[in-house]
Amino acid sequence: MEFSVLNESSLHNTLKTYYAIQSNGQTEYKLHNHIYDIYTENNQAIEIQTQNLVKLLPKILDTLEKGIKVKLVHTVVITKTITIFNKENEKISKRKSPKKGCIYDLFSELTGIYHILLRENFTLEVLLIDITEQRIRTEEPVQSKNNRRRFKRNWNKTNKHLDQIIKTITFNKKEDYLNLLPKNLPEEFCAKDINKLLKENNSIPKNYHPNGNLIIWVFNRMELIEQTKVENRSRYYRINK
């Protein structure tokens, strides 16, 4: 088995090694002008992407068109431990982030790739994980390396490490995605119904703010649900049979 490392986080490299061993695949495999994280003996490309799934869309579409199976591995962080170091690489502090994630954080990523989720030979595998994020303290507030900060901070991320894989959820057919709808949902439902039931779900972190409109947006475009009526300025839907 071949292993090689590019400029990636420890989290990405750990998962790449993990999936390469599981599938007996080769890492950094070159084929059809692409470099795949892993390529297996049964003609499957495995790509690991922890965020911005839409960036892989052209590569995935081209790979599927060539008759190659694709497994896209995405992570949802449930619990994050933050360690901060100074410029001498001495640990200053370690703490748990108060924010906890859940599977529904996935939907913001699905908006960019909804039209391939049910394609033949495509599988989405979601890992619910705990991580440790390393940061380095800066002498003054700075912008992040990707320029995404609204306000400058006095630290920058330097690495992410996998602490544990809590659960693996595989999606490759309609029922897999529909299972994310709350139980006891009415036959005709609106975003408010979804929000209410998710808020009542004790397994979902209290800091999570349900976004039924986003769930409906994705499922409607995947043609998993269809609109039935508009009532009191709310759009109602039902599951497509």
Side-chain angles (χ1 to χ4, degrees):
M1 186 183 303
E2 171 193 346
F3 290 107
S4 63
V5 176
L6 296 178
N7 185 22
E8 299 159 342
S9 71
S10 295
L11 169 62
H12 188 278
N13 283 321
T14 298
L15 292 176
K16 186 162 61 178
T17 301
Y18 173 76
Y19 274 91
I21 292 172
Q22 275 198 332
S23 63
N24 194 32
Q26 297 184 59
T27 62
E28 305 306 323
Y29 191 86
K30 297 179 181 180
L31 182 67
H32 301 310
N33 298 317
H34 297 300
I35 300 177
Y36 297 107
D37 283 337
I38 303 155
Y39 199 83
T40 72
E41 295 174 347
N42 66 345
N43 195 38
Q44 183 183 58
I46 301 176
E47 288 291 302
I48 298 164
Q49 189 80 353
T50 58
Q51 59 184 353
N52 299 323
L53 298 185
V54 70
K55 286 187 175 182
L56 282 181
L57 186 58
K59 183 179 183 180
I60 292 173
L61 286 172
D62 185 58
T63 303
L64 290 172
E65 290 297 324
K66 289 179 168 59
I68 299 170
K69 293 178 286 187
V70 176
K71 177 185 285 187
L72 175 58
V73 178
H74 178 58
T75 56
V76 172
V77 176
I78 303 302
T79 302
K80 181 193 299 183
T81 300
I82 299 169
T83 56
I84 299 180
F85 296 81
N86 60 22
K87 61 181 180 180
E88 285 78 29
N89 203 33
E90 298 168 332
K91 187 187 294 184
I92 300 173
S93 65
K94 179 179 179 180
R95 63 179 176 86
K96 290 269 190 182
S97 171
K99 183 179 179 181
K100 291 191 175 183
C102 69
I103 185 61
Y104 293 97
D105 295 331
L106 171 68
F107 279 89
S108 60
E109 291 285 352
L110 298 187
T111 57
I113 63 167
Y114 66 87
H115 48 297
I116 67 166
L117 296 177
L118 296 175
R119 285 278 298 265
E120 186 179 3
N121 291 328
F122 177 81
T123 298
L124 174 66
E125 194 152 284
V126 179
L127 305 181
L128 306 185
I129 63 173
D130 292 339
I131 68 166
T132 293
E133 179 180 286
Q134 292 182 344
R135 300 175 180 177
I136 187 167
R137 181 77 72 198
T138 57
E139 294 181 356
E140 56 185 34
V142 295
Q143 179 57 268
S144 62
K145 293 179 180 179
N146 55 17
N147 294 314
R148 289 184 179 176
R149 284 180 178 164
R150 186 177 178 184
F151 302 104
K152 293 182 178 180
R153 309 276 186 176
N154 64 340
W155 53 265
N156 263 325
K157 298 177 187 178
T158 56
N159 208 345
K160 293 179 181 178
H161 295 271
L162 177 68
D163 293 334
Q164 68 169 327
I165 298 174
I166 302 168
K167 187 176 182 180
T168 301
I169 307 174
T170 302
F171 300 88
N172 55 28
K173 58 183 184 297
K174 292 180 180 181
E175 292 75 17
D176 298 330
Y177 292 96
L178 288 172
N179 282 336
L180 294 178
L181 288 174
K183 306 303 180 187
N184 302 319
L185 199 62
E187 184 175 347
E188 290 185 297
F189 57 87
C190 64
K192 292 178 181 178
D193 295 321
I194 294 175
N195 292 340
K196 179 178 181 295
L197 289 171
L198 290 181
K199 284 181 180 179
E200 294 172 354
N201 189 334
N202 292 328
S203 67
I204 296 176
K206 296 301 181 185
N207 63 275
Y208 174 69
H209 299 288
N211 191 340
N213 283 312
L214 181 60
I215 295 172
I216 284 175
W217 191 95
V218 172
F219 281 1
N220 191 38
R221 279 156 181 78
M222 290 175 68
E223 299 183 352
L224 298 179
I225 60 176
E226 61 181 356
Q227 185 177 324
T228 58
K229 64 182 178 182
V230 178
E231 188 175 285
N232 297 325
R233 293 190 296 180
S234 293
R235 297 177 186 271
Y236 283 77
Y237 298 81
R238 67 183 172 200
I239 296 173
N240 272 330
K241 304 298 182 183

